[in-house]
Structures are given as C-alpha cells and as structure tokens.
Amino acid sequence: MNPNDVIDAYVLDVMRRLPARERDEIGLELRGLLAEMLAGRADDEGRAADDAMVLAMLRGFGTPAEVAARYHPPGLALISPEQTRGFTIIAVVGLVLQWALSLPRVFDGSLPLAGWWLGPGLGAFWWPGFMIMFTLLAAWLQRHGWFKPRWRPQSVDPERINRSALAFGLAWFAIGAGVVIALPWLTPHLPGALPRVLALDPDFLRIRAWPVLPLWAGSFALLLTVLLQGRWSPLARTLEIVSSAAFVALLAWWIAGGRMFQATPTDQAARGILALITIYIVVDLAMRLHRRRARIRLPAPTR
C-alpha cells in the first residue's frame, strides 16, 4: 500500500463518521491537507514518503473519530463542562448518604453484607440515574427553545447583605436554639410517650452537649455584628468559616461518640438527621471557600 492509499483509507474512515451531506466537501479538504502535510514532512526529512512516514503523521494527527469531531460538533450534550463538577458532587453525595443511612444495619448484624449490596447498596444508584434522566430532559427542552437560562447582572458588591432576611433568620435562630436548650427541662412535661421518646442520654448532656452553647453564642454574635454593619468583612468571613468547621467537628463527635437519646429509634433518627446536616455544612463550606478563591477583590473605597 502506497502513502496515498493510506491517506485515502484514513479519510474514508473519517468520512464515515460525518453527516452524508458534508462528507464529500470535508473529504476533499482533508485529503488535500494531509497530502500537503506529508509532502512537507518528506521535504524536511529529505527522502521520499513511505508507509512508516504517513502512519506516523496520521497517528499524530489524531484518530478518525477525533478528526471527525473537529469537523462536526457533538450531538446533544447532557452536562455542560462548567456543570460537570457540581453534577458529580451532588450524585456522589446522594449515593454516599444512602449508603451511610443503610450500612448501620450491616454493622449491627441485622443485615448481611451480601444482602445489603443486592438491596440498598445497588439500589442507591437510582439517584445518579434519576439525575441523568432529568438532565437529559432539561437538555432536550433547552435545545428546543424551552427554559433557556438568561444572564442577569448580579450585585457588584457580594458582601452586602439583605438586612431584613438576616434579621428574620436571626430571630428564628434564637427561637430554635432556645427550644433545643430548654428541651431537657421541657421533655418531662410533655404528654403521652413523648418524655420517653425524647429523653436525652445523661452522659451526652454532661459531656458532649455543652460545647454547642459557646458555638451558638459565637455564631449569633457574628451574625448580629454583620447585621449591624450591613456587610461581611474579611474577618467576619474568616470567622464564619472557622465556625462552620467547628460545627462539623462537634456534629461528627455527637454522631460517633455514643448515644444522644435514650430511645434507640430516636437516637438512630437523630444520627441520620445530623449526618445530613453535617454533609450540608461541609458542601456549603467547600462552595464558600471556592467562591472566595474565585472572587474579584474590589479596591477599597476612598474617603
């Protein structure tokens, strides 16, 4: 087989991957380009082109599939490159969370490992499949003119806050913290079986519960300061990150350190809820750190 036959075979392989109406035009263009490249390489090396030379050139040029992709854009893209990372994180977190909630049955001996894998283990993969199907539907709708995203300008100063929203959040923060703090004293006065269901473990109250009080107080004071100033300062952002990391450590200690409630079903439900909260805080913390790195730093205002 002479070099021209090798080029023809390569071009035909590329053309088979292209739409029929574009094959002839692209084939002629590609064949002429490759012939010029081969002639130039032969001149550079000072010898006649042979099979080894043309094969080396074509392998460096790319596979027929890669070359066809350069001439013809890919079909419907399920996930755009900028969304790939977020899609992957959500898919993996959802999968791991389902495993974390079902694996305790394996550890306590109520479910064999093989039974878990053939049941909840493999069953957890419904979540990535669910995401892919809805992503496919969204991509198809956008391609046909539905729900196309529109860019809207955002605030130039991302550190400025909505004072009304933050004040509302602080009010509910105070109410929720007050109810949780008063729970050990409120529980004995609840009706029916609630005192037994919600009874906290004495060791948890004595050893692991109290650190949440200074963390809550510090977070409330930080948010109140931001509310009064009307914006986040660099120091406040740093303290917010430190506070989130401290909450993650405390929640992990609560989950792994023993019982929180005396009733086993209540304790297991509480562990699952705290695991969800911990995952949320970790993901939120990672996103804030990423945004902090990518943010454009504005010059300080002149006075």
Side-chain angles (χ1 to χ4, degrees), residues 1-17 30-31 34 55 58 64:
M1 183 179 290
N2 63 50
N4 289 330
D5 291 338
V6 177
I7 290 177
D8 287 342
Y10 181 87
V11 171
L12 287 174
D13 207 358
V14 173
M15 291 172 63
R16 279 193 286 266
R17 293 169 165 83
L30 180 60
R31 193 186 187 288
L34 294 175
L55 284 174
L58 294 176

Side-chain angles (χ1 to χ4, degrees), residues 36 46 58 84-85 108 124 142 175 177 199 238 254 267 270 274 287 301:
E36 290 179 5
L58 294 176
T84 301
R85 186 175 183 180
D108 63 18
Q142 288 185 7
I175 293 172
T238 301
W254 284 3
D267 188 70
L274 290 183
M287 292 177 64

Side-chain angles (χ1 to χ4, degrees), residues 168-250:
F168 182 79
L170 277 175
W172 279 106
F173 185 150
I175 293 172
V179 170
V180 173
I181 292 171
L183 189 61
W185 293 275
L186 293 176
T187 299
H189 304 288
L190 295 176
L194 288 178
R196 177 171 50 84
V197 172
L198 297 178
L200 290 164
D201 185 81
D203 290 336
F204 171 73
L205 284 174
R206 187 177 67 257
I207 300 173
R208 289 179 290 141
W210 68 266
V212 76
L213 299 178
L215 284 179
W216 272 344
S219 297
F220 190 87
L222 173 63
L223 293 175
L224 182 60
T225 302
V226 172
L227 177 63
L228 295 176
Q229 293 179 347
R231 59 181 292 108
W232 286 91
S233 66
L235 176 60
R237 284 296 189 191
T238 301
L239 291 176
E240 182 193 26
I241 292 173
V242 172
S243 175
S244 297
F247 270 111
V248 169
L250 178 62

Side-chain angles (χ1 to χ4, degrees), residues 14-208:
V14 173
M15 291 172 63
R16 279 193 286 266
R17 293 169 165 83
L18 296 172
R21 64 180 181 274
E22 301 175 2
R23 288 175 183 170
D24 292 340
E25 180 181 355
I26 293 177
L28 289 173
E29 176 186 346
L30 180 60
R31 193 186 187 288
L33 173 63
L34 294 175
E36 290 179 5
M37 289 177 58
L38 182 61
R41 176 171 293 204
D43 289 340
D44 292 340
E45 297 185 12
R47 62 186 179 91
D50 55 17
D51 288 352
M53 183 184 296
V54 71
L55 284 174
M57 181 192 73
L58 294 176
R59 287 167 181 165
F61 194 71
T63 65
E66 293 171 342
V67 175
R70 298 173 197 167
Y71 283 97
H72 184 65
L76 180 64
L78 291 183
I79 308 172
S80 60
E82 66 272 12
Q83 295 175 334
T84 301
R85 186 175 183 180
F87 182 93
T88 303
I89 291 174
I90 295 174
V92 172
V93 167
L95 185 69
V96 171
L97 179 59
Q98 293 181 80
W99 286 351
L101 294 177
S102 58
L103 274 173
R105 297 179 60 191
V106 177
F107 297 144
D108 63 18
S110 62
L111 181 67
L113 181 60
W116 171 84
W117 177 246
L118 295 176
L122 286 175
F125 284 94
W126 72 268
W127 173 244
F130 176 83
M131 291 180 61
I132 290 174
M133 291 304 299
F134 268 85
T135 303
L136 176 62
L137 176 61
W140 184 85
L141 290 173
Q142 288 185 7
R143 188 174 186 181
H144 288 78
W146 292 74
F147 308 113
K148 284 191 174 182
R150 294 181 178 179
W151 179 83
R152 293 180 180 179
Q154 299 180 356
S155 173
V156 176
D157 185 2
E159 304 298 358
R160 191 171 299 279
I161 66 166
N162 184 329
R163 281 183 163 170
S164 299
L166 183 56
F168 182 79
L170 277 175
W172 279 106
F173 185 150
I175 293 172
V179 170
V180 173
I181 292 171
L183 189 61
W185 293 275
L186 293 176
T187 299
H189 304 288
L190 295 176
L194 288 178
R196 177 171 50 84
V197 172
L198 297 178
L200 290 164
D201 185 81
D203 290 336
F204 171 73
L205 284 174
R206 187 177 67 257
I207 300 173
R208 289 179 290 141

